[in-house]
Amino acid sequence: MEVCIYRAYEEMSRAAAQLVADVLNAKPNAVLGMATGSTPLGVYQELVKLHQKGEVDFSHVTTFNLDEYVGLPITHEQSYHHFMHENFFRHVNIPPQNIHIPSGTTTNYRAFCEWYEKRIVECGGIDIQILGIGSDGHIAFNEPTSSLSSRTRLKTLAKQTIDDNARFFDKPEDVPIYAITMGVGTIMESKRIVLLANGAKKDQAVAAAVEGPVTSMITASALQMHPSTKMFLDEPAAGKLKMREYYDWIQYHKPGAPRV
Ligand code: GLP
């Protein structure tokens, strides 16, 4: 894992957006893995700005979202369909038929999950996957004890996640209990991964994911086994990392690294 620590959320978001834009500029028909939650909002805003300046084009891009709540219609304000449309898709030029978000209202979840997995493969696999991290160390909705080789499936949310997400709903009892989510195994097949985390509320999850043992108790720790994951952190989210000096030292020396 490469760990990059930024002074502020805005700087972290700009750097991560630039990496995504570089991937899209090198491969205009790239497959982009999208995440929801408050953390990637800054990256989406930056990508929209780059698009408006003509510095990145999405007209050949295909996207796959990580997850969706079960039972929320796509028009519900807290559905991930709505979130993605409002915060990203309506501001860029991705052809609507290239956008994939798990269905939270299908009548056959098993068949839908199989189709979603197959569709990712048909599109050539995910070139770069954006991830946030839950305060319990989850990625997408892969809650503690999720198999590290899990695939897209229906998942029961942990109490901690329901409590964390209650802030977005009128009443805590409105938070859905189930979600459909890409599995850890699905995510691990992405060619590159960008994990974003900001704020002190993520410091423990980040430290466990980066420096703890690989364990299904912290599904983000599986990324230690991924060949190309970059963590974009702000200072508070990096607050509990023991190897902080080492990460800074590497970043400091990187620009002058010998070209091989
Ligand atoms: C949800 C999403 C995750 C996201 C997490 C953190 O659980 N399924 O993909 O990483 O929330 O959200 P936030 O970025 O708002 O802290």
Side-chain angles (χ1 to χ4, degrees), residues 40 44 73 79-80 85 98 123 163 165 181 189 195 214 225 227 233:
Y44 296 157
S79 79
Y80 287 169
H85 180 74
N98 290 9
C123 293
D163 292 348
N165 292 349
T181 181
E189 281 169 15
L195 186 144
V214 174
M225 308 284 285
L233 310 174

Side-chain angles (χ1 to χ4, degrees), residues 194-206:
V194 161
L195 186 144
L196 309 156
N198 69 296
K201 64 185 185 304
K202 300 292 174 67
D203 60 1
Q204 255 168 342
V206 165

Side-chain angles (χ1 to χ4, degrees), residues 9 12-13 16-17 20 39-48 130 196:
Y9 174 75
M12 173 194 105
S13 302
V20 173
T39 311
L41 280 173
V43 171
Y44 296 157
Q45 282 157 12
E46 288 299 326
L47 284 172
V48 169
I130 299 169
L196 309 156

Side-chain angles (χ1 to χ4, degrees), residues 154-206:
L154 201 65
K155 185 78 196 146
T156 310
L157 301 184
K159 171 90 172 51
Q160 168 89 57
T161 301
I162 294 171
D163 292 348
D164 284 352
N165 292 349
R167 67 190 194 277
F168 299 117
F169 290 81
D170 292 339
K171 299 190 288 297
E173 51 278 24
D174 290 347
V175 186
I177 290 171
Y178 304 102
I180 179 167
T181 181
M182 272 190 210
V184 182
T186 322
I187 294 168
M188 290 291 282
E189 281 169 15
S190 310
K191 289 165 202 129
R192 294 177 80 160
I193 293 177
V194 161
L195 186 144
L196 309 156
N198 69 296
K201 64 185 185 304
K202 300 292 174 67
D203 60 1
Q204 255 168 342
V206 165

Side-chain angles (χ1 to χ4, degrees), residues 75-237:
T75 48
H76 190 287
E77 271 198 9
Q78 294 308 327
S79 79
Y80 287 169
H81 278 77
H82 186 266
F83 175 99
M84 287 309 301
H85 180 74
E86 282 307 304
N87 293 300
F88 190 58
F89 293 142
R90 76 185 180 92
H91 306 287
V92 295
N93 62 339
I94 303 172
Q97 67 275 17
N98 290 9
I99 293 173
H100 304 83
I101 305 178
S103 167
T105 53
T106 174
T107 50
N108 187 338
Y109 282 96
R110 191 180 293 268
F112 183 87
C113 293
E114 277 169 24
W115 173 81
Y116 204 70
E117 288 276 336
K118 243 190 270 154
R119 190 77 195 116
I120 295 173
V121 174
E122 269 166 22
C123 293
I126 294 169
D127 288 294
I128 183 160
Q129 173 68 57
I130 299 169
L131 292 178
I133 185 169
S135 61
D136 62 2
H138 72 224
I139 45 175
F141 270 130
N142 293 288
E143 299 288 28
T145 72
S146 287
S147 160
L148 299 187
S149 53
S150 50
R151 313 302 306 189
T152 304
R153 69 207 184 291
L154 201 65
K155 185 78 196 146
T156 310
L157 301 184
K159 171 90 172 51
Q160 168 89 57
T161 301
I162 294 171
D163 292 348
D164 284 352
N165 292 349
R167 67 190 194 277
F168 299 117
F169 290 81
D170 292 339
K171 299 190 288 297
E173 51 278 24
D174 290 347
V175 186
I177 290 171
Y178 304 102
I180 179 167
T181 181
M182 272 190 210
V184 182
T186 322
I187 294 168
M188 290 291 282
E189 281 169 15
S190 310
K191 289 165 202 129
R192 294 177 80 160
I193 293 177
V194 161
L195 186 144
L196 309 156
N198 69 296
K201 64 185 185 304
K202 300 292 174 67
D203 60 1
Q204 255 168 342
V206 165
V210 177
E211 296 176 343
V214 174
T215 167
S216 64
M217 289 299 288
I218 304 284
T219 52
S221 68
L223 301 174
Q224 292 176 29
M225 308 284 285
H226 187 271
S228 184
T229 290
K230 194 161 174 171
M231 312 282 284
F232 288 81
L233 310 174
D234 73 351
E235 287 286 348

